[in-house]
Amino acid sequence: MCVKWTTVVPCCVFCLIQGGSDDERKHCKLLEAIKHCAPMTPSALIKTKKQLKNLQHNQSTLETPLTRKETERIQREVAFEKTSKEVSRWQSVVLQNQKAEQLVFPLNQEPSGPKRIEQVVAGWKAQTPLEQEIFSLLRMNKQPLHDPVLTPTEEASLRAMSLEEAKIRRAELQKARVLQSYYEAKAKRERKIKSKKYHRVQKKVMRKEYLKQFDEMVKTDPAAALEELKKMELSRMKERMSLKHQNSGKWAKSKAIMAKYDDGARKAMQKQLEVNKDLTLKLVIPADEDEEDEEESAETLPDFVNDAEHILDQVNPWMRGKLSTDPMVQEESNRLDPPVVRPRELGTPGEGRDDQEEDEEQMEETEEEALLRGFEERRKLQISDDNEEAVEISDDEEAVEISDDEAGLSKFTSLFHGLVNNHMEPPADQPKAGPGVGQGESPALLEEGLVRVRTLEDVELLSQDVSASDPAPLTTTQTPGTEETDTQSATQQADKKRKRKKMIDPNEVLTKEAKVIKMPLAPTAVEDVEGKEEQRVIIKEAFAGDDVISDFLKDKRKQEEAGRPKVIDLTLPGWGEWGGLGLQPSRSKRKRFRVKVAPPPPRQDQKLPNIIISEKRDSSIAAHQVCQLPFPFENPTQFERTIRSPVGRTWNTQNTVQKITAPKVVTQLGAIIEPIAREYLIKDNRQAVTGPSINLESDQGPQKKRRSQQKKKHKRKKN
Amino acid sequence: MPTAIKPHRRRSQPVGMTYQFLPEVKKYTTKMAASGETMLKKPHVGKKRKPPTRYWEGTEENGKNDGKKQKEGDNNKQTPQQNKKRTKEGGKRGGAGEKILSGKSDPFPGSAPVPEEKLKKFKRGEKGELPPRPQYKLRDVVVRSEAASDLAQKQNARYDLMLPEDAGFLEGDEDEDTCTISQDDIADAVDITAGAKYFNLTLSQFGPYRLDYSKTGRHLLLGGRRGHVTCLDWQSKQLMCEMNVMETVNDVKWLHSEALFAVAQKKWLYIYDNKGIELHCIRKFNDVLRMQFLPYHFLLATASATGFLQYLDVSVGKEVVAICTKAGRLDVMAHNPHNAIIHLGHSNGTVTLWTPNQREPLVKMLCHQGGVRSVAVDKTGTYMVTSGMDKKLKVYDIRSYRPLQSYFLPAGASCLSLSQRGLLSAATGDIVQVYRDVWGTPVTKPYMAHRAKGSVWGVHFCPFEDVLGVGHGEGFTSMVVPGAGEPNFDGLDANPYRSAKQRQEWEVKALLEKIQPELIGLDPSQLSQVDHSTWEQRHEDRVQALGFDPLAKEKFTPRLKTKGRSSSGKVEKRKKQVAHEDQRDVIRQTVEDRMKIDKERKEKEKKEAAAAGQKSALDRFRK
């Protein structure tokens, strides 16, 4: 500011000089202006002055620059920090690679071979406007883009239906289809029937049924009844217009001829006329109108009648039921109005009619019944007997749930199996019972098991055995029950004794009771009794000298002694006391200098009286064993567990061996393996993809994967 | 006497016999092994084998099991829910997350379930707990190995459905014992090929015969006491060689293949090839009475009259070890196929167990009151059957060395043999009896019996065939014993139908996989365990193996010096000098150690003092 000011002043001065005298006035003005300025400037002036002074006072020199060494160190430090930061970004990748089961080089290899469609499709994007339009349309309508078969809603619905439901539904559909086919077949068959009488009867029956229903309908549903009535009215009108029931047809004419002689024909004609009368008579009261037209009935009634069809699907429970009793179908039939034709039902008239008529009716009904029965029988003849039986069975179990039915079926099969078994068992069982007491007891003997040891055996077991063998070989086997208590008490006693003596009783060794085996063929060599006796004597003599058991026990004791560590006696006679011939070192001294050794671990054969197990260490195998645990393991059991299952082809399937022994690093032959690139790191951070891990099919597999993925996520967060 | 033979055997290949009955023999009824057929109750054996399960039954069973579980729970209503759950799980397993466009969607997602029982069968050891999370390296290793073993187990269980064959046995009618059915009847009833397996060789001239079947069961070796040695392909009855060695023959044995066999003659052990050419006479092995061949170790174990148990490595032709058993004449011998341990029977009623690695018996069992006449060991290494002079037949569990059953045979059994399926044949005099399941239920009757023409000298079940070979005084008899042989053979191990090329290949592989004799032990899985022995023990073993202590200090021997400097005094002086020097070293070492310890202690104290020096305001109240 000060500089500025100074520059201004000479300028003014210069102006003054240039202006000369004529510009006196201007000069004065300027001075005034300066004077005007003066009260404003002093603070700035002071400030600048101060600054100048400060500059003058500040005499200290600049610091010398850092030495090269120091600057370099600082630079290094900074550089280290920077690079370590950069390098540490690789850490997770390195760790992953270290942990990976298998590494495949070169990196970023695309798997060879054909790709699956979805892989190809997933990468593809709609590019052209047309494609985009199509896709947007599809998306708007929630149509499947990738999976061409099902929409999400369809899939959801599919998923919503469980297997059971689906089964039930299918069974229903199946049943409906079958029913339809039955009805069709039946209708076809009935249409083909030429018998007029049959049709007449049928019609009559239907009519009756219909009336009955109509009565009911009047009570329950008057509106529907009214409609029915209207229909009837319509039919009546039609009848009136036509010439039906006027005895003008072919049949009526023939009847008319016959009517002279035949009572029945006459009656029929009369009836026909009556019908005509009824039909043509217009009546207001609906109750009186009880007959209806055939045509009308033909319209309303389906031309088939409910009846069970005998083709049966054993497996499908829905197919077992009779049609008539199925509630759903019944409803349907009610709607369609086809009454069930049953002779029994026909026999129960419930109409308000004249007695005469009723009588007539009944007469006719019996006729009808007979006719219908005849038809039914004829039909039944066509059907095989087996199916009929099946129907009977299924009749009982209709309208039951699938599972129950299946259970029943399995029960039945099991029953059947049981029967079969019963049939087959006797030949297998009887020989068991045949041989006698000894065998009968065998299961009991089995239960006794291993530990049955007889303690008090005679000294000469051998001779006894021989004697036992010839007269009654079964005696030894027959007395387990009675002997047992004795033997138990005896064993207890023996136990006590053992505790006292801590020695093995020779009688306890070799005491397993022998079962005598019956032989079908006697060996030729040892047949005669005398020979046996002789041999017994010979054996006795032969074994008189050597007591096998006591020898063995001696041997065992010796071994035990040898195995026991010896007490070391370090007493030196004569030290610290008098020594000499006949002088024993004192007891206290002996006690003091005797080195006692810790007792050895219990012998393996401690509880097996007739066994000697060598306690020597077999060192030969030690050379092949692992004696130092490899790195990550901490105790032998961990290591032993990891090597517990064999790896070789002898014990495993080919596939397993390949998976288990997959190499840690796989390289492609001839491919250049380049160092990992920075892009990989970025990609890794984005996707966390490493080499393909060998997926051992196991329960832990997916969990592990998930866990590792989680880890990766964590790392990403940290980074 | 109508009988029903029930051959429950089906083979994928036409091994051996299939019992198909001739139509004219109506008294026999066939019940072929069908998959779902329920087995008849057997008169002898309480155990009831289940029919072989098929893969389509496996899943059903699973379903049933599920049902049972639910019933145990609460309601039967839960069934559909459970099913849903299962399907969901299945979906998870199969990776339902990724949808597959191409092809239909899988109606049964996930892998097919494997039945529990089969999984149990292939279970190897117990799973352990996972190590804690911080030790992630260890955890990774453990998890990976668990997954691998799980996979192996599952796959094995899955592939096991390939072998559903089951054994069938003779079954008698009412009031008929199977043991009364004669061999001729059986041979008449069965088809021609099976019937041809019952035959007699009349060889009365050269006295009682010992016999041996090769590992594949195709070849038979016969050795007559009076020197007659012959080997033949017994199924085609093709003679490979026949000779008389003009010497007493004690025992004969096939070596690893049918190309070589060993004959224990009067004095030495000889090895011949299948043409009858004498390859070796092994003088180190004298007075051999019995032989056993360990196929996976290539070891020929011999027991001699002089009481020596010797092992010959057949692959290199060297004697591995000769052990003096100090138990007299050794004429009873058997080997445990499970762990390759040799069982010897002695005249004092004991049976001893041996390995080539130990000079004393591993186990000594007192089995009989008289001498032991014969010993046989089960294929699985679980049971041992012995017979003795006291006419008893005993069954032992040789894992726990406990007696299971004891039988009294009227004449005592001289020879015993166990089949692959666990049938026991016992020869008493001239009668050969076959028993079923001697270790399970107590047997009172034999399953089959047959009277040989002379006194029986050797019995041997043929591997992979329902055949029992009996060598006796009048020659050889091949008996048909239904249910004796294993129907499923391992084609890479012992293939009865292998060609010459396959045999050669197998031989090379077997040699490469040969197990060293040091690995023989009571527990074959010991190799997979960590050696727990201490350093001292190991050092001791090393010293014993080397014959000297490699870590021992060399004893100082003063050098000989001339000019009177080696006088005894000087020598002594020098010795003392060295001894002093050594002692000084020791002392220095100990002093240094002590100082080190002292220093450490002092430092520790100092630190503590320093820690104590930082007084807090409240320290003044401390007393």
Side-chain angles (χ1 to χ4, degrees):
Chain A
M1 197 161 183
C2 138
V3 178
K4 209 178 174 184
W5 185 73
T6 44
T7 49
V8 167
V9 174
C11 175
C12 288
V13 173
F14 181 69
C15 286
L16 284 176
I17 293 161
Q18 269 199 341
S21 58
D22 49 20
D23 275 344
E24 274 294 314
R25 214 179 39 176
K26 273 184 184 175
H27 181 225
C28 287
K29 260 186 185 175
L30 188 72
L31 278 177
E32 267 176 31
I34 290 165
K35 267 175 190 172
H36 256 278
C37 282
M40 298 283 281
T41 43
S43 63
L45 252 174
I46 290 159
K47 213 180 181 181
T48 46
K49 266 181 191 168
K50 249 186 193 172
Q51 279 177 344
L52 277 170
K53 261 183 194 171
N54 270 345
L55 276 172
Q56 276 170 352
H57 279 294
N58 203 0
Q59 290 289 330
S60 62
T61 52
L62 279 174
E63 277 180 40
T64 50
L66 287 172
T67 55
R68 208 173 121 233
K69 224 178 180 179
E70 278 175 326
T71 46
E72 271 178 356
R73 201 179 66 201
I74 289 163
Q75 277 170 359
R76 259 184 280 137
E77 262 171 25
V78 172
F80 171 76
E81 256 172 43
K82 207 175 166 189
T83 43
S84 69
K85 209 175 183 181
E86 205 178 289
V87 166
S88 66
R89 285 165 66 200
W90 288 97
Q91 204 168 12
S92 63
V93 177
V94 171
L95 200 69
Q96 256 177 42
N97 283 355
Q98 276 175 358
K99 272 188 180 180
E101 276 172 75
Q102 196 177 41
L103 292 174
V104 182
F105 293 111
L107 295 165
N108 303 328
Q109 228 177 336
E110 292 223 337
S112 62
K115 282 179 184 172
R116 281 207 302 252
I117 290 176
E118 55 267 23
Q119 283 172 339
V120 179
V121 167
W124 182 76
K125 274 182 184 175
Q127 282 166 344
T128 61
L130 177 66
E131 282 170 356
Q132 279 167 356
E133 204 176 320
I134 288 168
F135 270 88
S136 65
L137 260 177
L138 283 175
R139 214 163 284 143
M140 267 162 59
N141 294 328
K142 283 183 181 174
Q143 289 299 312
L145 295 178
H146 298 304
D147 195 337
V149 191
L150 298 171
T151 58
T153 48
E154 278 170 337
E155 270 189 352
S157 68
L158 259 186
R159 238 174 278 133
M161 192 182 280
S162 75
L163 186 66
E164 300 288 295
E165 285 171 32
K167 269 183 183 170
I168 291 165
R169 174 108 189 87
R170 199 184 62 174
E172 275 173 7
L173 285 174
Q174 221 169 346
K175 196 192 171 186
R177 238 177 291 134
V178 170
L179 278 182
Q180 199 182 346
S181 71
Y182 288 167
Y183 284 138
E184 278 167 7
K186 195 163 187 184
K188 217 182 244 176
R189 198 172 57 234
E190 268 166 15
R191 225 179 293 135
K192 273 183 186 169
I193 293 174
K194 283 179 179 167
S195 160
K196 281 183 178 169
K197 198 170 186 185
Y198 169 82
H199 281 296
R200 207 183 306 135
V201 169
Q202 204 78 342
K203 268 175 201 163
K204 193 158 194 181
V205 167
M206 273 177 207
R207 214 182 299 145
K208 230 177 242 168
E209 240 353 84
Y210 179 73
L211 272 177
K212 229 190 237 170
Q213 271 185 0
F214 183 74
D215 282 350
E216 270 177 27
M217 213 186 273
V218 167
K219 278 171 199 165
T220 53
D221 191 5
L226 214 72
E227 252 178 46
E228 283 295 292
L229 211 67
K230 270 180 188 169
K231 260 187 204 169
M232 271 196 258
E233 186 64 27
L234 199 75
S235 70
R236 196 191 56 78
M237 275 151 78
K238 273 182 186 169
E239 170 70 22
R240 278 188 73 177
M241 288 196 290
S242 75
L243 292 171
K244 273 188 180 172
H245 295 106
Q246 303 221 346
N247 284 354
S248 57
K250 212 177 183 182
W251 173 82
K253 275 172 188 166
S254 70
K255 285 281 164 189
I257 294 160
M258 293 295 288
K260 260 186 205 168
Y261 318 102
D262 193 2
D263 230 24
R266 208 183 305 144
K267 260 187 187 173
M269 276 190 68
Q270 273 177 358
K271 220 180 171 189
Q272 187 85 346
L273 283 171
E274 259 174 53
V275 167
N276 187 31
K277 220 179 179 179
D278 279 348
L279 279 170
T280 47
L281 198 76
K282 194 178 181 182
L283 289 173
V284 188
I285 312 149
D288 286 9
E289 201 164 26
D290 40 7
E291 303 276 87
E292 66 175 68
D293 195 32
E294 290 123 302
E295 270 195 1
E296 198 266 18
S297 70
E299 268 180 16
T300 49
L301 289 178
D303 35 359
F304 52 77
V305 180
N306 263 352
D307 202 351
E309 203 68 41
H310 299 289
I311 304 153
L312 258 188
D313 190 358
Q314 279 278 1
V315 182
N316 192 348
W318 290 92
M319 303 308 299
R320 272 190 227 156
K322 254 192 174 176
L323 291 178
S324 54
T325 45
D326 195 327
M328 266 181 55
V329 180
Q330 208 162 29
E331 274 178 25
E332 223 173 316
S333 64
N334 280 347
R335 239 191 303 119
L336 286 169
D337 198 36
V340 180
V341 179
R342 281 211 174 153
R344 259 176 282 143
E345 284 172 26
L346 291 174
T348 55
E351 300 138 279
R353 274 203 179 189
D354 297 356
D355 291 1
Q356 264 196 347
E357 274 181 336
E358 262 189 40
D359 285 354
E360 270 185 17
E361 286 260 332
Q362 279 195 340
M363 280 246 312
E364 276 190 355
E365 268 165 16
T366 48
E367 268 183 279
E368 287 160 15
E369 271 178 39
L371 254 172
L372 279 174
R373 257 180 231 140
F375 281 120
E376 270 185 352
E377 272 169 13
R378 227 177 292 160
R379 205 180 311 141
K380 269 180 189 171
L381 275 177
Q382 295 170 352
I383 301 151
S384 64
D385 292 355
D386 313 319
N387 281 354
E388 249 176 286
E389 278 176 16
V391 176
E392 274 162 32
I393 290 166
S394 62
D395 259 0
D396 301 335
E397 316 173 338
E398 61 201 356
V400 199
E401 277 182 51
I402 300 175
S403 58
D404 287 16
D405 262 10
E406 275 175 355
L409 214 140
S410 64
K411 217 182 268 176
F412 171 72
T413 48
S414 68
L415 243 172
F416 177 72
H417 279 299
L419 276 174
V420 171
N421 286 346
N422 278 346
H423 277 295
M424 290 164 90
E425 257 173 86
D429 270 2
Q430 257 156 9
K432 213 178 196 177
V437 198
Q439 257 194 339
E441 280 176 356
S442 59
L445 293 177
L446 215 181
E447 282 163 25
E448 281 169 31
L450 302 175
V451 279
R452 192 148 142 269
V453 170
R454 197 165 54 168
T455 46
L456 297 174
E457 213 177 52
D458 296 0
V459 185
E460 292 189 331
L461 228 174
L462 214 148
S463 61
Q464 189 214 32
D465 282 340
V466 172
S467 63
S469 69
D470 4 320
L474 286 177
T475 46
T476 44
T477 54
Q478 273 176 345
T479 55
T482 51
E483 256 183 20
E484 210 171 28
T485 49
D486 297 359
T487 51
Q488 274 179 357
S489 61
T491 42
Q492 282 170 1
Q493 280 179 2
D495 277 346
K496 278 177 194 170
K497 268 184 199 170
R498 200 186 292 160
K499 272 171 198 165
R500 235 176 278 148
K501 285 198 282 181
K502 230 192 167 184
M503 294 269 278
I504 300 158
D505 188 4
N507 291 340
E508 286 169 19
V509 186
L510 282 189
T511 50
K512 194 92 173 78
E513 195 175 310
K515 305 239 156 36
V516 178
I517 289 175
K518 276 207 281 183
M519 283 211 320
L521 311 168
T524 40
V526 211
E527 257 180 341
D528 47 348
V529 186
E530 291 170 28
K532 269 186 185 173
E533 275 184 6
E534 260 178 43
Q535 202 169 15
R536 198 209 313 174
V537 172
I538 288 167
I539 288 167
K540 248 187 180 177
E541 279 173 9
F543 295 118
D546 49 37
D547 187 355
V548 170
I549 296 169
S550 63
D551 278 354
F552 184 82
L553 292 180
K554 245 183 236 167
D555 194 9
K556 182 163 184 175
R557 220 166 297 143
K558 219 194 249 172
Q559 288 258 348
E560 277 171 7
E561 289 292 323
R564 221 167 275 150
K566 274 158 197 100
V567 175
I568 306 161
D569 198 356
L570 292 173
T571 44
L572 284 173
W575 277 86
E577 57 188 11
W578 287 106
L581 205 68
L583 273 178
Q584 281 284 328
S586 69
R587 187 183 283 175
S588 59
K589 195 184 172 186
R590 261 186 290 163
K591 220 180 200 174
R592 199 178 151 198
F593 285 100
R594 192 175 285 173
V595 179
K596 271 184 187 170
V597 190
R603 285 179 68 88
Q604 281 177 289
D605 53 9
Q606 204 179 21
K607 283 170 186 172
L608 300 163
N610 56 339
I611 308 289
I612 303 172
I613 298 174
S614 159
E615 294 283 317
K616 243 188 186 174
R617 202 177 90 88
D618 184 10
S619 58
S620 61
I621 202 168
H624 302 273
Q625 275 175 322
V626 174
C627 56
Q628 278 184 326
L629 282 177
F631 157 58
F633 297 104
E634 287 173 332
N635 53 21
T637 47
Q638 278 173 353
F639 178 65
E640 278 162 19
R641 266 180 205 140
T642 56
I643 58 167
R644 71 176 200 267
S645 46
V647 176
R649 273 165 219 283
T650 320
W651 302 275
N652 289 317
T653 58
Q654 178 76 15
N655 216 348
T656 318
V657 172
Q658 272 175 2
K659 270 185 184 166
I660 291 174
T661 60
K664 189 135 174 46
V665 176
V666 178
T667 55
Q668 200 181 9
L669 202 69
I672 298 165
I673 299 170
E674 277 166 357
I676 195 162
R678 189 184 289 273
E679 290 87 64
Y680 182 80
L681 180 66
I682 295 157
K683 195 178 118 197
D684 192 66
N685 272 350
R686 235 175 258 153
Q687 292 185 347
V689 177
T690 50
S693 64
I694 308 157
N695 188 21
L696 293 181
E697 179 200 326
S698 69
D699 301 333
Q700 281 184 337
Q703 285 180 10
K704 212 178 94 191
K705 245 189 185 172
R706 225 173 294 141
R707 213 172 288 146
S708 65
Q709 278 172 2
Q710 281 172 358
K711 267 186 196 169
K712 277 170 202 165
K713 274 179 193 167
H714 278 299
K715 259 165 209 163
R716 251 176 281 150
K717 273 178 192 171
K718 274 179 196 170
N719 287 341
Chain B
M1 43 151 263
T3 9
I5 295 181
K6 198 175 174 212
H8 257 281
R9 311 191 54 196
R10 265 187 31 190
R11 286 169 170 146
S12 41
Q13 294 91 353
V15 185
M17 48 190 79
T18 46
Y19 301 96
Q20 284 180 348
F21 293 82
L22 304 175
E24 62 263 26
V25 189
K26 292 232 168 152
K27 57 183 177 178
Y28 294 97
T29 52
T30 29
K31 282 154 201 160
M32 290 304 289
S35 63
E37 198 184 81
T38 48
M39 297 272 283
L40 290 181
K41 274 189 184 171
K42 288 156 196 162
H44 291 292
V45 183
K47 268 188 221 161
K48 198 176 163 190
R49 283 231 182 84
K50 280 173 81 183
T53 48
R54 308 291 182 183
Y55 68 92
W56 59 81
E57 288 171 349
T59 49
E60 209 170 274
E61 231 170 63
N62 247 20
K64 274 177 193 171
N65 285 344
D66 275 8
K68 271 179 194 171
K69 274 173 200 168
Q70 281 153 26
K71 269 170 200 171
E72 277 168 23
D74 280 314
N75 300 329
N76 295 347
K77 271 192 175 179
Q78 283 178 347
T79 326
Q81 286 179 1
Q82 191 82 6
N83 280 344
K84 269 182 203 169
K85 258 187 196 173
R86 255 181 62 202
T87 49
K88 269 182 194 170
E89 279 167 17
K92 264 181 202 169
R93 246 185 294 144
E98 48 172 303
K99 267 193 146 184
I100 291 170
L101 240 188
S102 45
K104 287 177 189 169
S105 60
D106 192 359
F108 307 105
S111 50
V114 188
E116 279 292 320
E117 285 175 24
K118 279 189 178 168
L119 279 180
K120 222 178 200 175
K121 187 179 164 191
F122 290 99
K123 197 176 181 186
R124 297 191 191 266
E126 287 291 325
K127 262 189 196 177
E129 281 179 13
L130 283 181
R133 229 167 250 291
Q135 300 159 317
Y136 68 92
K137 275 187 183 168
L138 174 59
R139 205 181 156 89
D140 270 6
V141 171
V142 172
V143 163
R144 230 167 260 167
S145 83
E146 294 283 336
S149 61
D150 268 1
L151 172 76
Q153 186 190 1
K154 231 178 237 176
Q155 288 294 318
N156 280 338
R158 202 156 272 165
Y159 277 73
D160 195 40
L161 62 89
M162 309 272 187
L163 308 169
E165 278 81 4
D166 205 353
F169 295 99
L170 268 185
E171 291 212 349
D173 259 357
E174 290 178 38
D175 304 328
E176 195 198 23
D177 292 337
T178 48
C179 53
T180 56
I181 301 166
S182 72
Q183 283 292 314
D184 291 314
D185 285 342
I186 294 172
D188 280 344
V190 297
D191 61 325
I192 296 170
T193 40
K197 282 165 189 171
Y198 166 62
F199 61 91
N200 281 300
L201 299 178
T202 316
L203 308 160
S204 53
Q205 212 176 341
F206 297 107
Y209 278 85
R210 297 276 306 168
L211 74 149
D212 187 38
Y213 284 104
S214 65
K215 201 184 158 198
T216 57
R218 290 288 294 195
H219 301 275
L220 172 68
L221 179 63
L222 291 172
R225 181 121 193 95
R226 276 163 245 173
H228 179 214
V229 175
T230 178
C231 59
L232 63 154
D233 184 346
W234 68 271
Q235 283 185 358
S236 59
K237 315 280 191 301
Q238 226 168 14
L239 192 66
M240 290 158 80
C241 81
E242 188 175 24
M243 61 183 165
N244 199 320
V245 295
M246 308 302 279
E247 230 178 0
T248 314
V249 169
N250 288 322
D251 201 3
V252 286
K253 206 84 197 166
W254 284 110
L255 297 189
H256 57 278
S257 71
E258 53 269 19
L260 295 172
F261 60 87
V263 179
Q265 293 179 19
K266 188 188 174 190
K267 193 86 183 161
W268 318 120
L269 175 70
Y270 289 81
I271 289 182
Y272 297 91
D273 75 350
N274 60 3
K275 299 276 183 297
I277 298 164
E278 180 189 319
L279 298 178
H280 302 288
C281 166
I282 304 167
R283 296 269 160 81
K284 266 193 173 174
F285 289 67
N286 58 325
D287 303 315
V288 173
L289 293 179
R290 289 286 177 269
M291 292 185 290
Q292 287 293 331
F293 185 70
L294 311 176
Y296 298 106
H297 302 78
F298 284 83
L299 288 182
L300 182 71
T302 62
S304 68
T306 53
F308 270 87
L309 171 67
Q310 285 165 293
Y311 287 86
L312 176 73
D313 192 332
V314 175
S315 62
V316 289
K318 271 189 183 166
E319 186 193 40
V320 174
V321 73
I323 304 165
C324 181
T325 60
K326 296 168 197 161
R329 188 181 160 85
L330 303 173
D331 56 352
V332 179
M333 192 182 198
H335 93 272
N336 185 340
H338 178 59
N339 52 13
I341 279 188
I342 295 288
H343 293 232
L344 294 176
H346 304 289
S347 57
N348 59 357
T350 56
V351 171
T352 49
L353 275 58
W354 298 85
T355 67
N357 306 316
Q358 206 162 319
R359 296 285 168 151
E360 63 174 32
L362 296 174
V363 179
K364 199 171 185 182
M365 311 170 68
L366 181 62
C367 295
H368 291 278
Q369 289 198 313
V372 178
R373 289 180 80 183
S374 184
V375 180
V377 185
D378 171 33
K379 186 182 138 199
T380 60
T382 316
Y383 305 106
M384 176 177 77
V385 185
T386 62
S387 74
M389 298 286 268
D390 55 356
K391 300 185 178 181
K392 277 182 183 168
L393 182 82
K394 292 194 174 180
V395 184
Y396 283 86
D397 185 340
I398 43 173
R399 296 169 300 180
S400 59
Y401 312 107
R402 284 183 196 280
L404 292 180
Q405 300 289 345
S406 173
Y407 301 104
F408 185 84
L409 279 178
S414 60
C415 307
L416 294 176
S417 172
L418 276 168
S419 84
Q420 286 172 324
R421 280 280 188 178
L423 295 193
L424 171 75
S425 74
T428 57
D430 59 346
I431 292 178
V432 182
Q433 302 160 53
V434 181
Y435 294 93
R436 251 170 87 182
D437 199 29
V438 277
W439 35 77
T441 39
V443 175
T444 51
K445 269 189 313 187
Y447 164 54
M448 286 178 75
H450 179 70
R451 190 190 292 277
K453 279 170 187 162
S455 66
V456 177
W457 206 249
V459 285
H460 208 293
F461 276 104
C462 181
F464 309 112
E465 291 287 350
D466 287 349
V467 164
L468 171 67
V470 181
H472 48 78
E474 296 297 306
F476 169 79
T477 304
S478 172
M479 270 173 73
V480 175
V481 182
E486 174 68 48
N488 301 311
F489 59 84
D490 182 353
L492 298 176
D493 181 34
N495 185 356
Y497 301 105
R498 67 187 175 194
S499 59
K501 199 80 195 162
Q502 279 173 323
R503 201 203 73 218
Q504 286 164 9
E505 222 165 88
W506 166 84
E507 201 167 353
V508 172
K509 277 177 186 161
L511 275 169
L512 287 173
E513 287 170 359
K514 177 190 148 186
I515 306 170
Q516 291 302 319
E518 294 94 66
L519 299 181
I520 298 176
L522 273 176
D523 181 14
S525 65
Q526 210 191 346
L527 188 64
S528 64
Q529 286 164 0
V530 177
D531 188 14
H532 292 290
S533 58
T534 57
W535 187 86
E536 280 86 9
Q537 267 177 322
R538 252 177 277 150
H539 181 67
E540 223 170 79
D541 292 340
R542 202 172 162 210
V543 170
Q544 211 165 19
L546 291 172
F548 66 95
D549 189 353
L551 300 180
K553 224 175 184 188
E554 217 176 311
K555 204 185 169 190
F556 174 69
T557 44
R559 206 158 35 122
L560 184 73
K561 288 188 176 176
T562 49
K563 295 180 185 168
R565 287 184 296 175
S566 251
S567 68
S568 60
K570 291 258 165 140
V571 164
E572 199 57 30
K573 204 178 165 190
R574 262 192 283 161
K575 269 188 187 171
K576 274 210 169 146
Q577 226 171 350
V578 170
H580 277 303
E581 200 76 354
D582 286 351
Q583 205 179 1
R584 207 172 291 161
D585 276 347
V586 171
I587 289 166
R588 198 181 295 136
Q589 191 67 39
T590 50
V591 166
E592 267 175 12
D593 283 353
R594 205 177 295 158
M595 278 173 72
K596 216 179 187 178
I597 290 165
D598 274 359
K599 209 178 169 186
E600 271 174 12
R601 207 186 59 215
K602 268 178 189 169
E603 265 181 13
K604 211 178 177 185
E605 274 175 7
K606 225 181 199 174
K607 262 185 191 171
E608 276 174 7
Q614 293 172 344
K615 275 183 184 175
S616 74
L618 296 172
D619 270 348
R620 72 186 75 160
F621 302 114
R622 194 180 278 164
K623 253 281 150 134

